[in-house]
């Protein structure tokens, strides 16, 4: 097996949304990868990649970081396997979905689960995590957590374009899932891996779609340690 | 010529964002269409389509309404011409972009230009327009207009995913424009057709992209009556 994926870990939990995009993409391509857990305090182990963020994929002599670049690499290197994009228009258009996920979906989820991440990560990671996140949010993690029952309504409202899409078709990519689905699913799987706070509630087409995504590839995501909403 | 497009008109100005999506799609497919102007007070003329909204496309014996359905019809009926999607993944993924455009972009533009629409439409349309929009906004059109210098900052911020995408690649669909571009461009062309209020300012990758879109198909959109920001 030539592939190795470095992914963010808290004990048995693998919770980076960007890593989950690639876990799903690898599964779609039918590619197995050795998985190396990286804690926040292990990031020096990524120095070989020339940067310090997960995911990092190693394929033989090739080292690639950044989930978008990894997805493009997989599509270009393994074009005869199931398509992540399938053509240039899909790849281009998915980049806007990738940016929407990063800047709207993940930015919306982050304050809702940040204290739960703190609770789950290994003790040696906690000082770094608390300091960096409290600087970002401008207040204690406990204060961010205390706002979430109110804040989740805005988060759910921000999913309106996704909700409407999934009310019209089974997957973001249409009748079958592709990389657009893996992008957005990664955010929910991130939260689900580390937090019992229900980001979604039934009835909601987004909830139903997450459930379908959890079952893909023999239940890959559902079987990973996480909570049930 | 077998194609006819019914589009929203205010005098010489054609300002429906949904109609502009189809104008651009027809141009990409190299299809000419007879264009029938429809004012708000003319909507009874659309009764043959079984509904009262533009755009409506008539292709021989086929009548199609709703911009998304028209785009899919054009792609399926004229598959050998330039692709709007090119595959099922692109079509599926573009539906999320279509929903984002409707619910974020157009919803953000609407209060910024609604009074300018009122000023431009034909006098017989004004009572209907004022009543329906003031009901939607819950206050006089003049009050909505008065807020726009403040509100435009939130609108520009809401374009962050689009801005980041266009900072990375020339068009939403990648190296060349496709329907994802026509969807989002329609919103800016709507505003530009009817309002001199600058939704975008330089430097902004979105501004540069709008400028490129205005030049497509021999300057189709730039030559249509409108304002320069």
């Amino acid at each position: 097996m030539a592939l190795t994926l470095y992914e963010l870990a808290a004990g048995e939990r693998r919770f980076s949304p960007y890593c989950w995009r690639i876990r799903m993409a690898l599964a779609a391509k039918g590619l197995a990868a050795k998985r190396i857990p990286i804690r926040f305090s292990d990031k020096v182990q990524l120095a070989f990649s020339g940067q310090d963020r997960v995911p990092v994929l190693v394929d033989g002599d090739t080292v690639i970081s950044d989930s978008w670049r990894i997805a493009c690499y997989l599509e270009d290197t393994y074009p005869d396997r199931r398509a992540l994009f399938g053509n240039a228009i899909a790849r281009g258009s998915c980049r806007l979905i990738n940016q929407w996920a990063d800047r709207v979906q993940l930015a919306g989820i982050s304050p809702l689960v940040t204290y739960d991440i703190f609770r789950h990560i290994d003790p040696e990671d906690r000082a770094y995590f608390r300091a960096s996140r409290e600087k970002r949010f401008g207040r204690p993690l406990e204060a961010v957590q205390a706002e979430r029952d109110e804040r989740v309504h805005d988060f759910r409202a921000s999913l309106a374009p996704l909700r409407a899409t999934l009310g019209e078709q089974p997957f973001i990519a249409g009748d079958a899932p592709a990389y657009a689905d893996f992008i957005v699913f990664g955010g929910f799987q991130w939260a689900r891996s580390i937090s019992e706070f229900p980001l979604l509630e039934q009835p909601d087409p987004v909830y139903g779609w997450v459930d379908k995504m959890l079952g893909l590839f023999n239940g890959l995501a559902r079987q990973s340690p996480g909570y049930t909403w």
Side-chain angles (χ1 to χ4, degrees), chain A:
Chain A
M1 182 195 308
L3 287 165
T4 305
L5 178 66
Y6 293 78
E7 55 180 9
L8 196 62
E12 290 304 303
R13 296 172 193 271
R14 306 296 169 94
F15 66 101
S16 157
Y18 311 105
C19 293
W20 271 104
R21 293 175 186 174
I22 301 307
R23 289 283 297 282
M24 300 295 279
L26 286 166
K29 289 285 186 192
L31 295 167
K34 181 178 176 188
R35 294 163 48 213
I36 308 285
I38 297 287
R39 296 169 304 175
F40 288 109
S41 48
D42 292 335
K43 287 196 167 180
V44 66
Q45 291 184 37
L46 302 176
F48 71 93
S49 71
Q51 53 91 59
D52 68 353
R53 305 182 73 176
V54 291
V56 173
L57 183 74
V58 180
D59 187 2
D61 293 333
T62 305
V63 178
I64 319 113
S65 58
D66 180 84
S67 64
W68 178 260
R69 289 183 58 237
I70 294 172
C72 292
Y73 170 83
L74 291 173
E75 182 79 342
D76 293 337
T77 307
Y78 303 98
D80 296 335
R81 294 171 180 242
R82 179 169 165 167
L84 301 180
F85 307 114
N87 74 4
I89 294 175
R91 186 182 302 204
S93 303
C94 278
R95 201 157 193 180
L96 177 52
I97 295 174
N98 204 68
Q99 289 288 355
W100 177 82
D102 289 355
R103 292 162 190 275
V104 177
Q105 183 207 20
L106 299 187
I109 292 174
S110 175
L112 304 176
V113 304
T114 194
Y115 186 73
D116 289 330
I117 296 173
F118 176 77
R119 290 194 303 115
H120 282 85
I121 55 180
D122 293 352
E124 56 266 47
D125 280 354
R126 289 187 188 154
Y128 157 78
F129 186 85
R130 181 183 282 279
S132 63
R133 270 47 176 186
E134 293 192 345
K135 183 175 177 189
R136 183 186 300 169
F137 290 116
R139 53 202 186 285
L141 296 183
E142 291 79 358
V144 178
Q145 160 103 337
E147 300 162 1
R148 71 180 175 180
D149 290 331
E150 284 301 314
R151 197 189 278 262
V152 71
H153 301 292
D154 284 346
F155 169 69
R156 289 180 187 145
S158 78
L159 302 178
L162 178 66
R163 185 170 294 117
T165 301
L166 293 170
E168 291 168 328
Q169 58 194 32
F171 295 97
I172 300 173
D175 289 334
Y179 196 65
D181 294 272
F182 307 153
I183 292 169
V184 181
F185 174 70
F188 293 111
Q189 178 69 355
W190 167 41
R192 191 184 156 278
S193 297
I194 214 86
S195 173
E196 40 201 330
F197 184 70
L199 293 190
L200 301 169
E201 286 182 332
Q202 293 178 284
D204 181 344
V206 184
Y207 188 102
W209 165 81
V210 167
D211 195 59
K212 281 185 287 192
M213 296 298 293
L214 288 167
L216 290 181
F217 314 128
N218 300 312
L220 171 65
R222 183 172 279 126
Q223 288 165 26
S224 182
Y227 295 98
T228 301
W229 293 336

